[in-house]
Amino acid sequence: SSMKKKITKSMIFMLTICLIFSYITPLKANATTFKTNVQTSCDAIELINLDTDTVVYKKNENKRRAPASTTKIMTFIIVSEQIKDLDNTKITVNKEVVDRLLGTGSSLSGIKEGDILTAFQLLNCMMIPSGNDAAMVLADYVGKGDISKFVDLMNKKAKELGCTNTHFENPHGLHDPNHYTTAHDLYKITKYAMGLPHFTEITSQTRYTYKPSGGPNAENNRTLCTTNLLIDKNALGGKYYYIYARGIKTGHHDEAGYCLVSTATADGYSYMCVALGGPEDSKRAEMVDSKNLYKWALTNLELKNVLRKDGPVGEANLQYAWNKDKLLLVAEKDYAAILPKNVSAQSVIIEKNIPEKIEAPIKKGQKVGTATLSYANQKIATVNLVASESVEHSELVHSTETIKSIFSSGWFIAIAIIIIILLIIYIILALIYNRKKRNLKRVKKYRKM
């Protein structure tokens, strides 16, 4: 019985080995940005090419920072999505709501108690002169008297947009320890906002004149001026003005430093720069850093063709096809990448992710794998690889391969080895048994004599 136990343990061990599989997981490289001589002073910055969603410069882009009034970009999103008719929805300015800002040192747009304003006018009051008062009135209206409900919508939207390091406590951006975002999250929020009606129109204005549609102060026009020195050539003699810049939102308080989210477009290229935590030294680093980065990107980077549609990228091992064991894979579509002007498209590294084997039938254009494109250790795109031709299934090859795979499989080999071992053990035991039997007969015969 002890020998039976040993044989059983050996079988269990061998079968367990057959169940072990090894997987190789490629390590994701830490991304770096393209080389630049631009020196930046802001604590956290991200510069993104909007045509390809390529990050071309970054610094502490995932570090949590107080966003100050750049918060209002998310406030704009919620208002825009909750109020369907911005032009015709009229809202009365409630003194109790505006008075909550007393003593906070808030930037105000100058709206007055009793003013009847459209939601569209209030969005202008919030985004152009950075009016905390307008933000509060809009949040109170959407939240039906409960601003915390509006803030809940802000946080819900942040999660929907994939912001993993963002949390809001108010609609205007005044300091709160639990009110934070990152340069990268703010890019996601702003990119989404840019697709909403009126957003780029409002945030690109340097001046806005309006008249309340009702209330005790409705008789006179009011003019708002932007806080964004990057787009206002008349501010400070144009010291920070950049001709290609558009929008979007400034922010500042002691804990946040100076902040700016902006875009710039020239020669068919568009960029967004998110700059947070500019030093409190009155040099306006958020403006200077953004302007210098735009100049560098628009001067030194360009779109280069990297992959041509239907151009060969790799091969896949093919199974169950007649007289064919390889399938050529091609790019699903043309792909161009933002690269330094002095860099060849051949400098882009193409890392293929193709299954070890694919089975016929395969249709032309069917996705088989992917290719990851990277430059300077930075992933710039993932492109689908598709079959270059259709391949039919061969039942004969399939049957032959199935039989072959059975005989060459680990299970079959393991079982065959086990059977051979058991057979050898059986023969050895049989020989031992027969020898003992013969010896026993000899003993009996000897005793009879």
Side-chain angles (χ1 to χ4, degrees):
S1 73
S2 64
M3 184 160 295
K4 283 183 180 179
K5 285 181 180 178
K6 287 180 180 178
I7 292 170
T8 303
K9 286 180 180 178
S10 297
M11 288 177 69
I12 292 170
F13 174 76
M14 293 181 73
L15 291 173
T16 302
I17 294 296
C18 294
L19 293 173
I20 297 174
F21 294 89
S22 296
Y23 295 92
I24 301 175
T25 305
L27 294 174
K28 187 176 180 182
N30 291 322
T32 58
T33 50
F34 301 151
K35 289 182 180 178
T36 172
N37 293 324
V38 176
Q39 299 295 315
T40 57
S41 301
C42 288
D43 183 54
I45 310 181
E46 189 166 67
L47 179 69
I48 310 97
N49 174 266
L50 294 175
D51 310 298
T52 61
D53 283 334
T54 303
V55 177
V56 297
Y57 180 90
K58 60 186 178 180
K59 171 183 170 184
N60 296 330
E61 77 283 0
N62 292 314
K63 180 179 178 181
R64 289 182 178 180
R65 295 275 330 172
S69 284
T70 61
T71 296
K72 290 164 184 160
I73 298 170
M74 178 60 86
T75 303
F76 186 107
I77 292 172
I78 302 305
V79 171
S80 179
E81 293 188 337
Q82 294 296 317
I83 301 177
K84 300 307 176 187
D85 188 353
L86 297 171
D87 290 310
N88 294 305
T89 298
K90 295 184 178 180
I91 302 171
T92 302
V93 176
N94 184 325
K95 184 177 186 296
E96 186 272 329
V97 173
V98 177
D99 281 353
R100 295 186 203 178
L101 296 171
L102 291 173
T104 62
S106 288
S107 56
L108 302 172
S109 66
I111 57 177
K112 296 177 171 55
E113 177 189 356
D115 279 351
I116 299 173
L117 306 169
T118 66
F120 179 78
Q121 289 174 326
L122 282 166
L123 285 174
N124 278 273
C125 291
M126 178 177 76
M127 300 302 284
I128 298 172
S130 200
N132 288 4
D133 46 4
M136 289 289 282
V137 170
L138 286 165
D140 179 74
Y141 178 82
V142 172
K144 294 180 171 57
D146 188 348
I147 290 176
S148 66
K149 288 183 179 178
F150 184 91
V151 175
D152 288 342
L153 292 174
M154 295 171 71
N155 287 314
K156 182 181 177 184
K157 193 68 184 182
K159 287 183 180 178
E160 286 177 13
L161 296 176
C163 300
T164 55
N165 283 299
T166 295
H167 188 268
F168 298 110
E169 283 291 329
N170 58 61
H172 40 64
L174 286 175
H175 179 62
D176 186 291
N178 206 29
H179 189 94
Y180 54 82
T181 189
T182 66
H184 188 61
D185 279 359
L186 200 46
Y187 155 64
K188 293 179 182 178
I189 292 167
T190 308
K191 186 185 174 190
Y192 179 84
M194 289 174 70
L196 297 175
H198 305 301
F199 182 79
T200 54
E201 167 200 337
I202 290 174
T203 58
S204 295
Q205 297 175 106
T206 57
R207 304 288 183 273
Y208 173 71
T209 300
Y210 74 101
K211 181 186 290 187
S213 58
N217 308 295
E219 66 280 356
N220 297 320
N221 286 334
R222 300 175 187 171
T223 299
L224 307 174
C225 296
T226 185
T227 55
N228 188 350
L229 305 178
L230 200 66
I231 64 173
D232 191 351
K233 61 183 176 183
N234 296 315
L236 302 178
K239 181 178 179 181
Y240 300 104
Y241 177 67
Y242 184 54
I243 189 170
Y244 300 119
R246 299 290 180 272
I248 288 176
K249 190 71 198 75
T250 59
H252 172 257
H253 59 65
D254 291 346
E255 291 81 5
Y258 285 98
C259 307
L260 175 66
V261 180
S262 59
T263 62
T265 300
D267 299 325
Y269 293 92
S270 295
Y271 288 88
M272 182 193 299
C273 187
V274 180
L276 304 177
E280 294 280 332
D281 57 8
S282 76
K283 292 181 181 178
R284 302 307 297 267
E286 83 284 17
M287 302 287 169
V288 175
D289 288 356
S290 299
K291 183 176 180 177
N292 288 340
L293 285 171
Y294 285 138
K295 285 182 175 180
W296 162 74
L298 291 169
T299 304
N300 294 282
L301 305 179
E302 67 180 6
L303 205 59
K304 295 177 184 282
N305 293 321
V306 177
L307 286 179
R308 180 174 52 83
K309 183 181 179 183
D310 296 332
V313 180
E315 285 185 327
N317 293 319
L318 184 62
Q319 284 189 311
Y320 312 144
W322 181 257
N323 202 28
K324 192 176 184 69
D325 59 3
K326 298 282 185 183
L327 178 64
L328 183 67
L329 302 183
V330 298
E332 183 181 38
K333 58 185 179 181
D334 293 332
Y335 185 78
I338 286 289
L339 294 168
K341 286 182 179 179
N342 59 354
V343 167
S344 165
Q346 281 71 42
S347 298
V348 173
I349 296 170
I350 302 175
E351 184 180 341
K352 290 164 279 193
N353 182 14
I354 301 170
E356 189 177 331
K357 293 177 182 178
I358 57 172
E359 299 177 0
I362 296 284
K363 290 185 179 180
K364 183 178 181 179
Q366 180 179 330
K367 180 185 173 183
V368 175
T370 60
T372 300
L373 311 182
S374 60
Y375 170 75
N377 293 326
Q378 177 174 297
K379 177 182 170 183
I380 53 179
T382 299
V383 180
N384 289 336
L385 300 181
V386 299
S388 61
E389 59 180 316
S390 296
V391 181
E392 296 299 322
H393 176 84
S394 171
E395 200 59 52
L396 177 61
V397 174
H398 190 181
S399 301
T400 305
E401 288 292 325
T402 301
I403 294 168
K404 184 180 175 182
S405 65
I406 289 171
F407 281 98
S408 61
S409 70
W411 284 100
F412 184 85
I413 293 169
I415 291 170
I417 291 171
I418 291 168
I419 290 172
I420 291 169
I421 292 171
L422 291 176
L423 187 60
I424 292 170
I425 292 171
Y426 174 77
I427 292 169
I428 292 170
L429 292 175
L431 289 172
I432 293 171
Y433 176 76
N434 287 334
R435 183 179 292 176
K436 284 185 177 180
K437 194 174 180 182
R438 285 198 300 270
N439 290 338
L440 190 61
K441 281 182 179 179
R442 286 184 189 142
V443 171
K444 285 181 178 180
K445 186 177 178 181
Y446 177 78
R447 284 177 179 173
K448 284 180 179 179
M449 291 174 64

